[in-house]
Amino acid sequence: MATKQAFQEQLNPFEIAKQQFNIAADYLDLDPSMRHVLETPKRQLIVSIPVKMDGGDVQVFEGYRVQHNVARGPAKGGIRYHPNVSLDEVKALATWMTWKCATLGIPYGGGKGGVICDPKRMSKDELERLTRRYAFEIAPIIGPDRDIPAPDVYTDEQTMAWIMDTISMVRGHTELGVVTGKPISLGGSLGRNEATARGCLYALREACKVKGMSLQGSRVSVHGFGNAGANIARLVAEDGARVVAICDSKIGLYAEGGIDIQEALRHKAKTKCLAGMRGVKEIPSDDVLTVDCDILLPSALENAITLANVGKVKARIIAELANGPTTPGSDRVLADNGVFLVPDILANAGGVTVSYYEWVQDQYSFFWSESHINETLEQAMRVAFKSVHETAQRYDTDMRTGAYILAVDRVAEATRVRGIFP
Ligand code: GLU
C-alpha cells in the first residue's frame, strides 16, 4: 500500500538506540574509538530454557541476558517476558539502561534480559519453572556486584522472588541483592512497585512548570495499563489531572469528562481487561496516542509513536514511561511542532532509582520508610530533570538529545579514566 511505503522508517530498536547515541556523540565530538566502545554491548548471553509444561511435554524457550556497559558500576536492568522479545530488542533495552543510570547519576551500567514466551498463556507453575531455569542459566553472569535484574514487561515481584531463591539455592547462601523489585517480605523496598510512575509524576510536574501549564485540570492520555501505566493514571488523577483516555493491549477507553481510575483498576483486577466498563466510550487501543489531550504518557512498548501516527498527536507534553516508544523520525516532527518530550531515560528512571535504593538497603540490611524513599526519589528526579533541561538549553536542542549528551558524556568520562584493559 502506498501509505505504508510513505512511512517507511527504521523500527529495529537496537538500530534506533545507536542512532540516538550517535546524535549525542556528534555533539560531544567523540572519536571513533570511543564511539565503538560505547555503542557495543559488552556481553550477550543466549540460553535455551527447557520447561516441563503442565501437559507433560517439554517446551524449549529462548532467553537472553545482555550487559551493555559496566564502566560506571554493575549492569542493571529488568527481565521481559513477551512473545516479541528478540536479541536486538534486549540489546537496545540494555543500552537504554546504561544511559538511564548515567542520567540519574546512579552507580550502575546497563543490562537487560528477556525470554520469548507468552506469559498470558502459561500457568503459574509453568512460569515458575521457566523463571527458575532461566535464572539458573544466567546465574554465571548475574550477582549483586555484577548484574542485577529487576521486573520489566510481564514480570513482577513474584518472578524476582523465584530468581532470588534459585540463585540463593545454587550459591548456598541468601543472596538478597541479586535482584531488585522483590516482595517487601524478602528484602524488597517500600515504594518500588509504583516507583517508575512516581518518578515520572515528579518529572511531569517539572515539565509543566517549563511549559507554564498546570497538571491540575490537564487532560491526560495514558497508553498502556501495566505497572507503569496503571500507576501513573492513578497518580496524575490524584494530582487533579483529568485522565481522558487509557488502554490495555486489547481496547482503549475514552471519556471527555475523565475516567474513574479507581473503578478502572477494580474492573481490570476483576475481569483481567478494560473492556466492558460503564460510562466510557470504547476505542481502538492505539487511538489513545492521538486523542485530544494536553499530556500523553506512552506506557506500553517500543515504537508506539512512529511517522505513521505522529502527525495526529495532539499533546503538548509527552513523558515516556515505556522504553523506546518514540522513533527518531517522530522525535523530529514533535520537536518541530513544539511538543515538550521528557525522554524515557529520564521519565521512567524512577524504577531503577528505587531499585538502587533497594540494593543499598539489602547491602546494609537496614530499611527505609516509604516517605524517605519517595522524598529521596523526588530530589533525584528534580536534579536529573534540571541537569537534562540545562544541557538541552546549552546545546540548543531537545530534551532527549540533552539527556543523551549528559549521559554519554558521563559514561565516556568513566571509560576514559578507567582506560582500556589490558
Ligand atoms: N525494567 C525497568 C526499566 O526499564 C527497571 C529496571 C531496574 O529496576 O533495574 O527501567
Side-chain angles (χ1 to χ4, degrees):
M1 249 165 55
T3 46
K4 214 168 182 184
Q5 204 66 21
F7 296 128
Q8 240 176 29
E9 62 178 333
Q10 177 61 260
L11 294 179
N12 177 311
F14 188 55
E15 294 304 321
I16 289 176
K18 284 194 284 191
Q19 282 178 25
Q20 293 164 331
F21 161 75
N22 274 302
I23 294 172
D26 287 344
Y27 275 99
L28 291 165
D29 212 11
L30 288 190
D31 62 61
S33 304
M34 184 62 87
R35 281 181 200 240
H36 287 146
V37 171
L38 298 188
E39 210 174 55
T40 316
K42 173 192 164 58
R43 186 178 277 132
Q44 305 171 40
L45 181 61
I46 304 178
V47 296
S48 308
I49 311 159
V51 178
K52 268 188 217 144
M53 306 305 280
D54 292 345
D57 60 319
V58 173
Q59 278 181 33
V60 181
F61 297 85
E62 184 157 292
Y64 312 99
R65 185 72 193 172
V66 174
Q67 296 165 354
H68 169 256
N69 187 288
V70 293
R72 299 179 61 261
K76 183 85 190 81
I79 291 169
R80 174 173 297 198
Y81 289 174
H82 196 276
N84 297 339
V85 163
S86 68
L87 180 57
D88 269 356
E89 184 193 40
V90 178
K91 282 159 70 178
L93 292 163
T95 308
W96 290 326
M97 286 308 302
T98 300
W99 311 135
K100 193 185 299 186
C101 293
T103 301
L104 266 287
I106 54 182
Y108 290 136
K112 205 80 171 198
V115 178
I116 307 172
C117 64
D118 190 351
K120 286 186 183 164
R121 300 168 72 108
M122 294 172 71
S123 70
K124 193 171 177 193
D125 285 346
E126 288 169 344
L127 282 171
E128 176 171 355
R129 291 192 288 272
L130 172 88
T131 301
R132 288 186 180 279
R133 184 60 187 259
Y134 169 68
F136 180 82
E137 296 296 340
I138 65 168
I141 64 165
I142 65 169
D145 301 317
R146 311 181 85 185
D147 181 1
I148 307 123
D152 195 79
V153 174
Y154 294 140
T155 56
D156 58 16
E157 57 177 39
Q158 176 63 77
T159 323
M160 296 306 116
W162 288 328
I163 297 178
M164 177 270 176
D165 182 68
T166 303
I167 300 298
S168 298
M169 289 296 119
V170 170
R171 306 223 165 127
H173 61 262
T174 301
E175 194 84 285
L176 279 188
V178 67
V179 284
T180 58
K182 298 183 293 299
I184 302 297
S185 56
L186 212 63
S189 176
L190 292 167
R192 174 62 186 88
N193 192 42
E194 60 166 39
T196 308
R198 185 165 281 284
C200 184
L201 175 72
Y202 297 144
L204 200 51
R205 286 183 186 155
E206 299 304 306
C208 285
K209 281 185 212 158
V210 171
K211 289 294 271 185
M213 284 164 57
S214 164
L215 188 51
Q216 217 179 356
S218 282
R219 292 164 310 152
V220 179
S221 177
V222 185
H223 184 247
F225 211 65
N227 174 290
N231 278 311
I232 195 66
R234 180 178 56 79
L235 288 173
V236 294
E238 282 170 14
D239 242 28
R242 180 153 45 106
V243 182
V244 294
I246 58 174
C247 72
D248 59 18
S249 57
K250 292 187 196 73
I251 195 112
L253 306 180
Y254 179 81
E256 178 62 38
I259 297 166
D260 181 343
I261 298 302
Q262 290 299 344
E263 180 53 32
L265 288 167
R266 275 193 294 273
H267 185 82
K268 176 95 186 176
K270 209 162 91 192
T271 66
K272 299 270 174 270
C273 66
L274 287 174
M277 227 182 100
R278 257 173 293 167
V280 295
K281 190 173 141 200
E282 294 191 349
I283 57 174
S285 284
D286 285 349
D287 284 9
V288 161
L289 297 160
T290 52
V291 294
D292 200 6
C293 66
D294 305 303
I295 297 170
L296 172 62
L297 304 171
S299 313
L301 296 167
E302 300 91 83
N303 299 331
I305 305 174
T306 66
L307 289 180
N309 62 4
V310 66
K312 292 187 272 178
V313 169
K314 302 187 184 59
R316 286 183 290 155
I317 294 179
I318 297 177
E320 299 178 325
L321 282 110
N323 291 308
T326 313
T327 60
S330 309
D331 271 344
R332 285 192 292 275
V333 175
L334 293 170
D336 287 347
N337 292 345
V339 177
F340 190 84
L341 185 145
V342 189
D344 47 7
I345 60 170
L346 172 63
N348 71 34
V352 73
T353 302
V354 176
S355 274
Y356 167 50
Y357 303 156
E358 178 174 334
W359 179 79
V360 169
Q361 293 170 86
D362 287 341
Q363 308 238 359
Y364 283 86
S365 287
F366 182 82
F367 291 86
W368 305 350
S369 69
E370 189 159 359
S371 58
H372 182 58
I373 303 263
N374 289 346
E375 280 158 24
T376 315
L377 172 65
E378 178 167 13
Q379 185 64 16
M381 291 303 300
R382 286 166 73 151
V383 168
F385 185 96
K386 190 162 177 276
S387 308
V388 168
H389 191 228
E390 280 172 4
T391 309
Q393 286 188 315
R394 188 162 2 106
Y395 286 86
D396 192 21
T397 185
D398 57 89
M399 287 286 282
R400 187 184 317 279
T401 309
Y404 269 77
I405 294 172
L406 186 74
V408 169
D409 194 33
R410 285 177 176 167
V411 181
E413 173 60 14
T415 305
R416 230 174 266 124
V417 290
R418 281 180 72 149
I420 300 294
F421 176 84

